[in-house]
Amino acid sequence: MTSTRTPGPFGRTLCAMITPFTASGALDLDGAQRLAAHLVAEGCDGLVLNGTTGESPTTTDEEKARLITAVREAVGDRASLVAGVGTSDTRHTVELALAAGKAGADGVLVVTPYYSRPPQEAVAAHFLEVADASELPVMLYDIPGRTGTRIEPDTMIRLAGHPRIVAVKDCSYDFLGTLKVLERTELAYYAGCDEHVLALYAVGAAGCVSTVANAAPAHIAAVLAAYAAGDTARAAGLQLAVTPLTEAMMGAGLPGTVTAKALLARLGLPAGPVRAPLLPAGPETADGLLARYEALPAL
């Protein structure tokens, strides 16, 4: 069977790509290009750069722009590039959004301002100011576990009226709220939690933004491709098969950046160290990640 699903504005299988560094901790643009090309060849039709998994809190504005430009050179038009530009400062976020457009991004990912815990009216004003300032389409990022503040469903519905606010990366863990927004808006939802990839796609989401896809891009892409083709049993089986790796990468008490880089290093792919305050995974953790990866079924 062939897919009848309409592609989302940024594709279907997006990887929240790590930012490779050299052994000394400098930005590794050659490694980023090689990793990006690999991810696209393995089934990712979109890449999210400079997000949480990309260690955006510890990369400079210049590094962020250089990374976008380098990855664009590597993948051309074979994948969309969504640039994380969210900060706790609206003015800085606007600056990053404008710079992302100049560097070659196709869209921007904007997280709720963190730490200051703004009320919903201020949350909405923040997103609207960014959307008004940039010509790029905006993906809202709802992850209250990190920011301390939700984008409440009613706020999301209101923001959907802006012509450049087109998508959501959903890490809210509020499935009912997500359904409410899906039912009342045309926003393209992307599962931001790897355990929700198939569940959200099954109720009308556009796809996913996956950290696990750094290591297993073909398997994440296959889950969605199977469901889109009408083979729901295969889709479910693949989602379940990748669950042990998802648990090891995302549910073992370490940030996904740390586990993704540890596993990529074991697989011989560009990664490098993490930047402080993160610490690298130990060899025992890396061994466990590799074992879960090697247990994935053949496609």
Side-chain angles (χ1 to χ4, degrees), residues 84-274:
V85 300
T87 73
S88 56
D89 175 357
T90 302
R91 288 178 298 176
H92 189 196
T93 300
V94 168
E95 292 170 359
L96 288 175
L98 296 175
K102 293 177 182 177
D106 298 302
V108 291
L109 175 69
V110 188
V111 74
T112 317
Y114 41 85
Y115 190 73
S116 56
R117 297 176 68 92
Q120 289 299 296
E121 189 65 26
V123 168
H126 172 82
F127 288 123
L128 290 170
E129 185 167 341
V130 177
D132 284 341
S134 172
E135 295 183 356
L136 295 179
V138 173
M139 179 188 288
L140 306 175
Y141 188 7
D142 189 16
I143 183 166
R146 287 185 180 269
T147 66
T149 304
R150 280 289 314 271
I151 311 173
E152 296 290 347
D154 287 343
T155 303
M156 204 84 74
I157 292 166
R158 172 187 169 189
L159 291 169
H162 194 289
R164 280 191 292 279
I165 296 177
V166 300
V168 178
K169 180 184 177 185
D170 183 23
C171 292
S172 67
Y173 285 97
D174 175 15
F175 205 70
L176 181 60
T178 294
L179 292 175
K180 178 180 177 179
V181 181
L182 278 169
E183 190 273 328
R184 293 185 57 184
T185 75
E186 297 298 319
L187 289 171
Y189 260 72
Y190 289 85
C193 304
D194 274 275
E195 65 271 32
H196 291 170
V197 168
L198 180 56
L200 199 55
Y201 194 60
V203 294
C208 67
V209 177
S210 167
T211 296
V212 174
N214 279 282
H219 285 79
I220 301 300
V223 171
L224 299 177
Y227 190 90
D231 193 345
T232 57
R234 175 171 168 76
L238 288 168
Q239 176 78 76
L240 294 175
V242 81
T243 295
L245 179 61
T246 298
E247 182 180 20
M249 290 184 66
M250 308 304 294
L254 291 174
T257 303
V258 173
T259 55
K261 283 196 163 183
L263 182 50
L264 286 171
R266 288 297 179 94
L267 296 174
L269 291 165
V274 293

Side-chain angles (χ1 to χ4, degrees), residues 20-28 58 63 272-275:
F21 298 131
T22 66
S24 65
L27 183 64
D28 181 5
T58 55
E63 287 175 325
V274 293
R275 284 183 176 174

